[in-house]
Amino acid sequence: MKRYIVFLKQVPLSTKVEMDPVTRTLKRSSAMTRTNPDDLYALQLAVKLKRRTGAEIVAVSMGPASAEEVLREALQRGADKAVLLSSKAFAGSDTWCTSLVLAAAVRKLGEYDLLLFGKMAVDGDTAQVGPEVAGQLDIPQVTHLMEVSDISDTCMCVRKKAGRLFQRMEVDLPCVVTVGRETGELDCPTLTGWRWAQRQTILHWDECDLGLEPSQVGLQASPTQVVSTMVPRRKKDVEWLPDGEKFFAVVRESMRRGINF
């Protein structure tokens, strides 16, 4: 049976997120959350391909217990099964450790044809996790996917973005693809889908289920080290100008000092 595995991430809804002063990582509990936008387009592509091939779609997310909301949305939008990778040992994982965990989950799930990722996450913008999982599994990857024109049991024909150009290529399966908004509009979720999603059981796996040691994952195992973080502070003075004459006087003085408007 064909199987597409889609990876979705829970990200902050707002840009106003607190930083942990000790670990220098985001305090994700300090903000409301949503599904990473690009990941929904990856899921949408999987659903479109499922209509042509009849494949099973498995949604996978790595995060705290609250990330179940992301997986419920994935089920509502067309996924058949869902797996949450959740453990205190995973906290603070950088892209390398995250890819290690996701690759282990893929191996545990068994046979697959496609691994689909959002192009990048809005809380990191690294665009590294999808390609790193491809490296962990030693399979081909296609980044910035635009369109899948044909797909068979062994390969697929795709169009992808390459800088200012576009490429058409044939890639062997299984492979990793990363997807953005360029693949088309999202289908609207339905009430029927929501009701079905609420009744489904979400599997929970930790490092033991994946055959990993706690020392292999998390903040301490991550090669990325953040030395320091700071929030830029901007100060501005506000002055009310009573009339046009005062306004033009301020403009002339600013121009004299070389300040452009």
Side-chain angles (χ1 to χ4, degrees), residues 211-231:
L212 298 173
E213 296 294 331
S215 60
Q216 293 179 273
V217 296
L219 183 63
Q220 298 306 314
S222 297
T224 304
Q225 299 295 322
V226 180
V227 177
S228 65
T229 58
M230 62 173 292
V231 178

Side-chain angles (χ1 to χ4, degrees), residues 8-255:
L8 304 103
K9 185 178 182 182
Q10 184 186 53
V11 297
L13 182 60
S14 169
T15 56
K16 297 179 180 179
V17 185
E18 298 177 15
M19 299 291 295
D20 189 309
V22 177
T23 64
R24 300 185 180 92
T25 58
L26 294 178
K27 293 175 65 175
R28 299 182 184 277
S29 60
S30 68
M32 297 178 65
T33 60
R34 60 171 173 168
T35 303
N36 182 58
D38 280 352
D39 298 348
L40 292 177
Y41 289 92
L43 176 62
Q44 179 73 39
L45 176 62
V47 171
K48 288 180 179 178
L49 294 176
K50 174 184 175 179
R51 294 168 186 160
R52 295 158 59 177
T53 65
E56 175 189 59
I57 298 176
V58 181
V60 176
S61 185
M62 175 179 165
S66 61
E68 271 202 9
E69 296 178 9
V70 168
L71 294 174
R72 296 287 177 197
E73 182 177 6
L75 291 166
Q76 181 184 7
R77 290 179 176 273
D80 300 296
K81 297 179 181 178
V83 181
L84 177 62
L85 311 175
S86 186
S87 170
K88 290 183 178 179
F90 298 156
S93 292
D94 67 356
T95 58
W96 171 259
C97 286
T98 298
S99 69
L100 185 72
V101 173
L102 298 185
V106 171
R107 295 187 185 100
K108 184 174 177 64
L109 283 167
E111 294 184 1
Y112 61 94
D113 298 273
L114 274 178
L115 305 181
L116 299 101
F117 293 82
K119 183 171 59 178
M120 64 177 61
V122 295
D123 62 347
D125 288 348
T126 64
Q128 293 174 351
V129 173
E132 285 183 2
V133 171
Q136 297 276 3
L137 298 172
D138 194 24
I139 59 176
Q141 58 176 290
V142 179
T143 56
H144 296 275
L145 184 76
M146 302 289 291
E147 178 189 11
V148 177
S149 56
D150 191 25
I151 186 168
S152 68
D153 292 339
T154 58
C155 65
M156 65 178 183
C157 298
V158 303
R159 184 168 70 99
K160 63 158 289 183
K161 190 175 182 181
R164 297 182 179 181
L165 304 177
F166 296 94
Q167 295 177 331
R168 291 190 180 274
M169 62 177 64
E170 183 179 287
V171 57
D172 293 334
L173 299 180
C175 76
V176 165
V177 297
T178 68
V179 180
R181 302 169 187 265
E182 300 87 355
T183 53
E185 296 296 323
L186 294 176
D187 291 342
C188 292
T190 64
L191 180 58
T192 301
W194 179 85
R195 287 173 173 167
W196 181 83
Q198 303 312 305
R199 297 194 300 268
Q200 303 311 301
T201 300
I202 295 177
L203 296 175
H204 285 235
W205 293 345
D206 60 15
E207 70 277 11
C208 296
D209 297 309
L210 299 177
L212 298 173
E213 296 294 331
S215 60
Q216 293 179 273
V217 296
L219 183 63
Q220 298 306 314
S222 297
T224 304
Q225 299 295 322
V226 180
V227 177
S228 65
T229 58
M230 62 173 292
V231 178
R233 298 185 180 276
R234 296 181 178 180
K235 295 176 62 178
K236 60 180 180 181
D237 297 323
V238 178
E239 179 183 355
W240 292 101
L241 303 178
D243 51 46
E245 183 177 345
K246 178 64 174 177
F247 170 77
F248 285 112
V250 170
V251 171
R252 284 193 296 270
E253 176 62 19
S254 297
M255 293 178 66

